[in-house]
Amino acid sequence: MANEVCLRTLDLDRPWLLDQYRSRGGYEMLSKVLKEQTPPEEIIDEVKKSGLRGRGGAGFPTGLKWSFIARNAPGQKYVVCNSDEGEPGTFKDRDILRYNPHQLIEGMAIAAYAIGATLGYNYIRGEFWEPYERFETALEEARKAGFLGDNILGSGFDFQLHTHLGGGAYVCGEETALLESIEGKKGQPRFKPPFPAHFGLYGRPTIINNTESLASIPMILAKGGQWFADIGVENSGGSKLFSISGNINNPGVFEIPMGTPFSELLEMAGGMQDGRKLKGVIPGGSSAPIIPGEQMMDLTMDYDAIAGAGSMLGSGAVIVLDDSNCMVKVLERMSYFYYEESCGQCTPCREGTGWLYRVVKRIEDGKGRPEDLDLLDDVADKISGKTICALGDAAAGPVAGMLKHFRDEFQYHIDHKRCLVGPANGQ
Amino acid sequence: MTITEPVNKAELFTPDIRKEIDEWVAKYPDDWKQSAVMAALRIIQDADEGWLSTERLNQVAAYLDMPPIAVYEVATFYSMYELKPVGKHKICVCTNVSCMINGSDKIVEYLEQKLGIKLGQTTEDGKVTLKEVECLGACGGAPMLQIGRQYYENLTPEIIDSILEGLE
């Protein structure tokens, strides 16, 4: 059951082209929906039934999100796709944009029909030039073929879709920061409520979903919500794209059923480099607290299993660490990232991420103080849940996870002013 | 509200650049020209040796009917805009976790030694700037770097040699 949804055309010669996509039934669902004028409620019900949860990392049920829009309220509504893929370890949306852009376009058009929107944007991170060009080419093809634009396929339904290119800011992956960014502002998250469903892009009702979520829609409708749900496990419907990287032989993107054992995913990814021992796994992007290797080998890749181990499935970005890695150094790098990317709006995050980075750095540099571990716990706790967006929690989570599972290694650094395992990368 | 001198927008940029910016403006609702500011900054930066002067920021503000401060906010917030001169080629090396554990430290060291500069510096001949960047979403090809619009993945010293040789 691999490559059944977003990567189902990957075996084709040039799957990003319209004729290739259509050779596998591409745009048939959009055509069917428009021809039969499927009631939007039916579409939303089907998406709900599929158990699809937001693939960007938050895991909020997609169908439920759509149902918050007052479809018949007057005025413009928007469909926005979040292709601002930036969670460290994540590289799956890049492949959807490069290899199956038409399925994303079809999914967005169906979403627009379901919520009554006639305008949409796909926010692609600025560094993704090749994916951007692929997507733009696909847009052009879709417009020419009449799948986008005015009066699509003679149905009376209009949908214009454009790309917005980012400028390099992790925080813009947060949905309201992303909306600010489309509005031509710095990407600082908005206070919620109101949620985007009521006050979104340009102050109008907006749904904003991840690339993978929207690209899954055509197959969910074609084969039924139940079909999609049954691929996965309870509470984690469908298959999922896992980006797996780190100390493994065959890193890459794998579309596999939710609930697949981690051990199988590791095997697909070629196993550990140089036959080394698995030390820890960051299961859902760098914001997800680390899970020790032994524990991870017994877990399955789904929301509940990973949450039960005190972490989160997040964006499905799996970073595999072998026993040559110094966890202090790994945490130092991650903490630097959040310090660098904090937008500066909320004091606990702006100041706290700097504290976390500086304290972890001095431990790594052999200048740690006896009180530092308690200090890190304290600072992480003072950020968690006290900020407008989840970036603060994302910065605190890895610290809490590392100190929970690898506290001895940090203590050793402080006590001996040197590393327990040697510098990262086995140098 | 800012009080600015009336400007002739046609004189701000070349026809090609105006055309490109206008294409982005057309994507957004009529009263949201500001949405095109990120695209405008990128287009001008690309045409202007890779960086944006304050004069250019002011011109973008005038062109899109924005207060200059709103353009400064955007230009300083996003990491891809350069507000000081940079080398002809900007080498952006990812050093985030997946790249780090696959040897990005050694890649940076090798680049620094070959180019004779440190991260954040530009070679004396103005040819190359070396920049550390955060995760570029290509961790499957770690370690990796970006030059211009191009990603280079699974880096080795040999690959870096050939990349550097290819830079004009």
Side-chain angles (χ1 to χ4, degrees), chain A residues 84-92 94 125-128 168-170 243 245 285-286 315 317 319 333-334 336-338 340-341, chain B residues 79-80 92-100 132-142 144-146 151:
Chain A
D84 191 42
E85 183 166 60
E87 175 70 24
T90 317
F91 49 100
K92 65 186 178 70
R94 176 179 178 227
R125 66 176 296 177
E127 296 91 341
F128 274 0
Y170 167 70
S243 325
S245 67
S286 81
S315 58
I319 304 174
R333 187 62 188 83
M334 294 198 291
Y336 178 76
F337 170 73
Y338 295 105
E340 172 75 21
E341 297 294 338
Chain B
S79 64
M80 291 175 75
C92 299
V93 195
C94 175
T95 59
N96 209 302
V97 177
S98 292
C99 282
M100 182 183 89
E132 179 179 44
V133 294
E134 294 301 340
C135 185
L136 292 179
C139 323
M144 63 83 63
L145 59 78
Q146 177 171 29
Y151 276 21

Side-chain angles (χ1 to χ4, degrees), chain B residues 56-144:
Chain B
R56 285 298 196 206
L57 300 183
N58 292 339
Q59 289 174 335
V60 169
Y63 194 75
L64 295 175
D65 301 319
M66 291 169 69
I69 183 69
V71 176
Y72 303 162
E73 280 192 349
V74 171
T76 54
F77 188 83
Y78 297 94
S79 64
M80 291 175 75
Y81 303 123
E82 301 293 340
L83 303 178
K84 285 178 187 157
V86 291
K88 188 176 173 195
H89 304 284
K90 186 166 71 174
I91 302 183
C92 299
V93 195
C94 175
T95 59
N96 209 302
V97 177
S98 292
C99 282
M100 182 183 89
I101 65 179
N102 277 295
S104 65
D105 287 3
K106 283 179 183 163
I107 296 298
V108 169
E109 211 175 285
Y110 189 74
L111 279 164
E112 286 182 337
Q113 178 221 322
K114 285 270 297 190
L115 296 167
I117 51 172
K118 294 282 173 195
L119 282 176
Q121 295 179 340
T122 302
T123 53
E124 255 177 41
D125 60 3
K127 193 171 160 190
V128 177
T129 296
L130 193 56
K131 184 173 176 177
E132 179 179 44
V133 294
E134 294 301 340
C135 185
L136 292 179
C139 323
M144 63 83 63

Side-chain angles (χ1 to χ4, degrees), chain A residues 121 164 182 202 245 329 333, chain B residues 27-28 35 95 98 105 153:
Chain A
Y121 295 96
H164 184 97
I182 298 182
Y202 307 125
S245 67
K329 181 163 182 186
R333 187 62 188 83
Chain B
K27 294 180 176 195
Y28 306 102
S35 284
T95 59
S98 292
D105 287 3
E153 303 180 37

